[in-house]
Amino acid sequence: MIISIWRYSHLTLAISSFLLLIVASVTGIFLAFEPVIEKSRDYKATGFDTLTLAQTVPLLKEKFPGIQEISVDDHHFVLIKYATEEGGDKQVYVDPATGKVLGIPTEKLPLFQWMTTLHRSLFIHETGRILIGITAFLLILIAVSGIFLVVQRQNGWKNFFSNVEKTGFAQYYHVVFGRLSLFFILAIALTGTYMAVYRFMPTPGKASALIDETQIREEPLKDLADFTVLRETPLANLQKLQYPFSDFPEDYYTVQLKDRELCINQFTGDVLAQQNYTQTYQLANFSLRWHTGRSGVIWSLLLALSSAYILFFIYSGFAITLQRRRSRSKNKFKAKEARIVILVGSENGGTFKFADAIYTQLIRHGEKVFLTDLSNFTAFPNAEHLIVMTSTYGQGDAPSNAKKLADRIKQYPQSKSIQYAVIGFGSRSYSQFCQFAFDVEKLLQNTTWAKAILPVYTVNDKSPQDFSDWITEWTRKTGFSMIMPRELLEPNTADLKNLLVTSRTNLDEEASFIMQFKSAQLKHAMSGDLLVIYPRNDHRERLYSIGKVDKNIQLSVKLHEHGLGSSFLNNLQQGDVIKAKLVKNQHFRFPKKAKKVIMVSNGTGIAPFLGMISENRRKIPIQLYCGFRNRSSFTLYEPFLKEQLSKRSLAGLNLVLSREEEKEYVSHRLLRDGDAVLQCLKEGGVIMLCGSLSMQKDVLEILEDIYKPEDNLSTEVLLKQGRILTDCY
């Protein structure tokens, strides 16, 4: 519910302000280059930062007898205004150390004048300024709501800058660019809003209003260079200084510094009055400098880029909305007529591509099919089969078009038994991979009318292979005639990288082997990530959990007869190059802050643990429980693990053999060591599982028995806390 509020708020704010945002952004891009052009003139004198007013003010008075004022801009260019002998006024840029004329100021370019007026007031004066101010405030709200949407999407604040799942050009770059430009857009919006509000605040008082003219003296007379206040004030702190108009005592120096205004007796150098600037005034000056890019060339260019990003966000935001609301296959049959019902949960419309393909194929075969959102669940009096295809949003939540499912299932109990199958779509790089699909499974299991014909199937990164596996099983169970839709057969081969085979072992007695790869493009790979290969350059992909050993990517592979992936890898030799991509597996990382770690694996599931153990530089105590069929299966890993024991990167090795010696599984050994396992958990330890799903099931059941006496420990709690980490298939 909360995420829906943020999403619709984000969308509503964008729709209500996009026209003015376009105007402000386009003009902002142009205006960002104005300070860049000004800075390029380079009128800043050498040694500017070391000068004081006592050095500059007398010098310029001597060089320019008719001098009226000195001003210093944000580029530290010194501009003076003086009366010429001909009787007119003139302005020049000067070197404050020598009085040398460096240049003459030019008028503001007509383009920038026009853009400035449009940017500030839309050519409608005060009303326009108010509208622009409101637009800046709405941009703040858009940015804040966007932050919360990204946090939800990325599974919390700690993953805010983690890799983003690629779910289409518009949505992917909406998030990626949004994170990059977030600070700068907030800076634009906050400073713009403040400047608009400041126009309605009272202006700060003038120092001249505080002068007591009865206290003005002409003695003791001092040289201008000896005025204490001028000697103590750096030139860099000056905004503007006005010389006395005459020699009368009532005329004085008016000095505007960055934090206050002073009136100085022209004879004695006494401070006649001082007015400190209010914080609101100083903040307004600060906002002006940063909003206009006057604080530096790099900042100006960043503002231009951020303004361009805003234009992109307007485009991509509407593209995302249109994609979510796009017209899907128009139902040929009504809900009450359908024999097959397809219910879809999708955050961005991607899952509908798969659902539409299945719908179209079944319709062509003469089936009565009805397709709709999960939130539109209703009575289906003639339905015999229910297909649920859903993604997961954020931290295991329902996508936006599935929020009402639980209530609708209660509201519309079906009148007869319906066979169902659930398929989840997601990315294994997220800890709550396809969680909502499993939640839907539980909802259906709790009804009297829903009968499962398949376990929950999952599709990783829109994998054609995963979806094809589900189609094969579903058609086998139901008898419907259906093949993998051709439009879904394109492999997701984006971001393929070259990997060089650096070494490999021979097959052991159990037909297992270890290979290592090196890739300059995958230096960021971490133990526990997944390597995706395409053995036949088609849609069929294979995933392998990796270990990072000696900076190389290491796989542990079991050669299966007719195995597509394992056969492909087995045929590789040292020096061969393959193309593959990396899937970040953020939820299966070595817990560097844990006090103790228990690792549990069977077979080649040991692969990521080998990397994690070798990288355990902090010597966190690790107990490894590894299961194999016989001792010969372990020979492949034994030398490496003994070396890690000697280095104390591994604290304990527990070899479990299922067909030799005690003939037991890792779950049995954990139960035998139950006291040590429980103590590890009590001390804040973490348990990691990698291997087969059947092993995971057995181990989780044993763990339930181990911590059953403890009220504050449960599998559900430990999984949520990240103290049980699993990566099983």
Side-chain angles (χ1 to χ4, degrees):
M1 181 64 181
I2 293 177
I3 193 64
S4 295
I5 293 173
W6 282 116
R7 180 181 298 108
Y8 290 120
S9 298
H10 191 71
L11 178 61
T12 302
L13 290 166
I15 291 174
S16 63
S17 59
F18 80 95
L19 287 176
L20 289 178
L21 281 175
I22 290 174
V23 172
S25 299
V26 171
T27 54
I29 293 172
F30 281 95
L31 292 175
F33 287 96
E34 184 179 18
V36 176
I37 295 172
E38 292 175 353
K39 180 69 174 178
S40 66
R41 298 186 178 118
D42 197 19
Y43 293 141
K44 182 179 178 180
T46 304
F48 172 87
D49 297 319
T50 63
L51 295 173
T52 66
L53 294 183
Q55 294 170 285
T56 300
V57 175
L59 173 72
L60 296 180
K61 184 177 181 181
E62 180 182 348
K63 292 280 186 179
F64 301 92
I67 192 168
Q68 299 170 10
E69 67 179 37
I70 306 171
S71 60
V72 180
D73 65 15
D74 293 309
H75 306 299
H76 288 172
F77 298 167
V78 177
L79 180 70
I80 67 167
K81 179 180 178 182
Y82 66 99
T84 64
E85 294 180 357
E86 292 78 14
D89 291 338
K90 188 174 183 179
Q91 288 184 312
V92 293
Y93 289 108
V94 298
D95 183 333
T98 65
K100 178 182 177 182
V101 175
L102 301 177
I104 299 174
T106 57
E107 290 188 9
K108 191 170 186 175
L109 294 174
L111 174 65
F112 288 133
Q113 291 179 356
W114 190 86
M115 287 286 183
T116 299
T117 305
L118 180 60
H119 187 82
R120 288 180 178 175
S121 65
L122 304 172
F123 292 104
I124 51 177
H125 309 296
E126 201 64 29
T127 301
R129 290 180 179 272
I130 293 172
L131 289 175
I132 291 296
I134 292 173
T135 302
F137 178 68
L138 292 178
L139 184 57
I140 296 175
L141 299 181
I142 292 170
V144 171
S145 59
I147 290 171
F148 281 96
L149 288 172
V150 173
V151 169
Q152 181 71 14
R153 177 192 174 96
Q154 294 295 97
N155 291 332
W157 290 98
K158 66 178 181 179
N159 298 320
F160 189 82
F161 287 103
S162 299
N163 286 347
V164 178
E165 181 185 359
K166 293 187 176 179
T167 53
F169 174 85
Q171 188 170 56
Y172 176 73
Y173 286 105
H174 196 82
V175 176
V176 171
F177 290 158
R179 295 185 310 185
L180 288 174
S181 60
L182 173 63
F183 170 78
F184 307 105
I185 289 176
L186 276 175
I188 291 172
L190 287 168
T191 53
T193 301
Y194 186 80
M195 288 191 296
V197 172
Y198 181 74
R199 288 185 60 82
F200 299 96
M201 296 181 182
T203 57
K206 295 287 186 179
S208 57
L210 304 177
I211 295 176
D212 182 357
E213 295 189 356
T214 62
Q215 300 299 316
I216 297 177
R217 302 285 184 267
E218 298 184 43
E219 295 180 349
L221 183 65
K222 290 184 180 179
D223 289 336
L224 189 56
D226 294 329
F227 285 9
T228 301
V229 65
L230 298 185
R231 294 173 64 182
E232 293 176 349
T233 305
L235 178 61
N237 198 30
L238 178 68
Q239 292 189 85
K240 181 185 286 188
L241 181 145
Q242 292 179 314
Y243 285 82
F245 182 73
S246 69
D247 292 333
F248 293 120
E250 291 78 12
D251 285 333
Y252 40 80
Y253 289 94
T254 301
V255 183
Q256 296 176 17
L257 304 177
K258 290 183 178 179
D259 59 347
R260 64 193 187 278
E261 184 180 75
L262 305 174
C263 293
I264 302 173
N265 187 308
Q266 63 171 309
F267 300 108
T268 66
D270 294 336
V271 176
L272 300 175
Q274 174 174 298
Q275 177 69 62
N276 291 327
Y277 295 143
T278 61
Q279 289 185 342
T280 56
Y281 176 79
Q282 292 187 65
L283 186 55
N285 279 342
F286 174 86
S287 297
L288 180 63
R289 292 181 67 243
W290 287 89
H291 189 84
T292 57
R294 297 176 188 173
S295 55
V297 171
I298 294 177
W299 180 254
S300 298
L301 296 176
L302 287 172
L303 290 183
L305 183 61
S306 300
S307 296
Y309 276 144
I310 293 173
L311 295 175
F312 173 79
F313 297 145
I314 293 171
Y315 152 74
S316 57
F318 281 110
I320 293 168
T321 302
L322 290 174
Q323 185 179 8
R324 288 195 181 121
R325 299 173 182 272
R326 68 182 180 85
S327 58
R328 298 185 280 273
S329 298
K330 189 174 181 180
N331 281 304
K332 185 176 180 180
F333 299 96
K334 296 180 180 179
K336 62 183 180 181
E337 300 172 322
R339 181 187 177 199
I340 303 171
V341 175
I342 303 175
L343 298 179
V344 183
S346 181
E347 188 60 35
N348 53 53
T351 307
F352 277 103
K353 176 182 177 182
F354 292 82
D356 287 344
I358 297 301
Y359 172 89
T360 302
Q361 196 169 158
L362 289 170
I363 286 290
R364 286 174 183 167
H365 284 85
E367 299 296 340
K368 293 183 178 180
V369 190
F370 181 77
L371 185 154
T372 189
D373 296 345
L374 276 166
S375 284
N376 293 334
F377 182 92
T378 187
F380 304 111
N382 290 306
E384 298 176 12
H385 295 277
L386 174 66
I387 300 173
V388 176
M389 306 172 72
T390 184
S391 62
T392 297
Y393 187 76
Q395 297 176 313
D397 296 329
S400 56
N401 69 337
K403 297 288 186 181
K404 300 177 183 178
L405 177 63
D407 292 335
R408 302 280 289 191
I409 286 178
K410 293 178 182 178
Q411 185 179 354
Y412 296 101
Q414 303 302 305
S415 58
K416 66 176 185 178
S417 177
I418 301 177
Q419 294 182 328
Y420 75 87
V422 178
I423 179 168
F425 292 79
S427 172
R428 293 191 184 277
S429 61
Y430 287 82
S431 59
Q432 302 294 332
F433 173 61
C434 292
Q435 180 58 51
F436 184 66
F438 291 97
D439 292 343
V440 173
E441 166 88 345
K442 289 180 181 178
L443 287 173
L444 294 174
Q445 285 176 343
N446 290 331
T447 67
T448 58
W449 52 266
K451 307 299 179 185
I453 58 172
L454 289 174
V456 176
Y457 270 66
T458 57
V459 176
N460 178 54
D461 286 338
K462 300 181 182 177
S463 164
Q465 180 62 56
D466 290 348
F467 192 62
S468 178
D469 291 343
W470 175 81
I471 288 178
T472 300
E473 284 302 302
W474 189 79
T475 52
R476 186 177 66 82
K477 286 281 188 180
T478 61
F480 288 108
S481 177
M482 189 165 59
I483 61 173
M484 180 67 178
R486 181 174 296 179
E487 62 267 31
L488 300 180
L489 283 175
E490 288 295 322
N492 183 13
T493 56
D495 299 326
L496 288 184
K497 309 298 183 185
N498 290 328
L499 284 86
L500 172 69
V501 180
T502 57
S503 67
R504 60 153 298 164
T505 64
N506 295 323
L507 296 177
D508 67 5
E509 293 183 14
E510 293 294 319
S512 296
F513 61 100
I514 292 175
M515 342 186 44
Q516 286 195 349
F517 300 88
K518 179 175 288 186
S519 174
Q521 298 170 304
L522 295 179
K523 289 182 178 179
H524 61 286
M526 299 180 68
S527 296
D529 286 341
L530 304 172
L531 191 71
V532 185
I533 64 172
Y534 295 88
R536 293 186 179 174
N537 295 320
D538 59 11
H539 69 281
R540 286 172 289 185
E541 62 184 22
R542 294 294 184 268
L543 282 74
Y544 292 88
S545 189
I546 72 167
K548 195 78 173 292
V549 179
D550 296 329
K551 297 183 180 180
N552 290 332
I553 292 173
Q554 179 171 293
L555 304 184
S556 179
V557 185
K558 172 68 180 294
L559 177 62
H560 296 278
E561 187 177 2
H562 308 303
L564 182 62
S566 60
S567 297
F568 170 77
L569 292 172
N570 184 50
N571 289 329
L572 297 175
Q573 299 299 325
Q574 184 176 349
D576 289 345
V577 176
I578 67 168
K579 285 187 175 295
K581 69 178 180 180
L582 190 75
V583 174
K584 302 299 287 184
N585 201 1
Q586 301 286 358
H587 75 281
F588 200 69
R589 293 276 189 261
F590 182 71
K592 296 180 181 179
K593 295 183 180 180
K595 294 182 178 179
K596 293 181 179 179
V597 178
I598 295 175
M599 295 178 173
V600 185
S601 69
N602 65 338
T604 55
I606 197 174
F609 294 152
L610 299 178
M612 293 177 188
I613 291 169
S614 70
E615 295 177 312
N616 181 23
R617 297 180 181 86
R618 294 181 59 197
K619 311 300 181 187
I620 295 172
I622 299 174
Q623 288 288 333
L624 174 64
Y625 290 79
C626 52
F628 296 95
R629 290 185 177 183
N630 46 53
R631 185 166 288 276
S632 62
S633 307
F634 176 65
T635 305
L636 192 62
Y637 312 102
E638 187 172 11
F640 175 83
L641 290 174
K642 284 186 175 179
E643 180 186 356
Q644 300 306 312
L645 283 168
S646 65
K647 291 180 177 179
R648 292 171 49 211
S649 296
L650 179 63
L653 174 61
N654 303 274
L655 176 62
V656 183
L657 305 176
S658 61
R659 296 188 179 180
E660 288 181 0
E661 300 175 10
E662 297 182 1
K663 296 182 179 180
E664 60 180 358
Y665 294 103
V666 287
S667 56
H668 300 144
R669 184 68 63 87
L670 286 169
L671 182 60
R672 194 181 74 184
D673 296 346
D675 291 342
V677 173
L678 182 60
Q679 188 61 32
C680 172
L681 290 171
K682 285 183 175 180
E683 294 176 3
V686 175
I687 297 177
M688 305 183 73
L689 311 178
C690 188
S692 67
L693 283 170
S694 59
M695 180 273 288
Q696 174 182 303
K697 179 176 178 294
D698 293 341
V699 169
L700 292 180
E701 288 178 355
I702 290 297
L703 290 176
E704 287 280 4
D705 292 337
I706 289 174
Y707 45 65
K708 193 173 184 179
E710 302 294 325
D711 294 334
N712 60 336
L713 292 177
S714 71
T715 300
E716 183 180 359
V717 170
L718 292 171
L719 284 169
K720 286 184 178 180
Q721 292 177 344
R723 294 179 58 202
I724 293 181
L725 303 175
T726 66
D727 190 37
C728 298
Y729 304 92

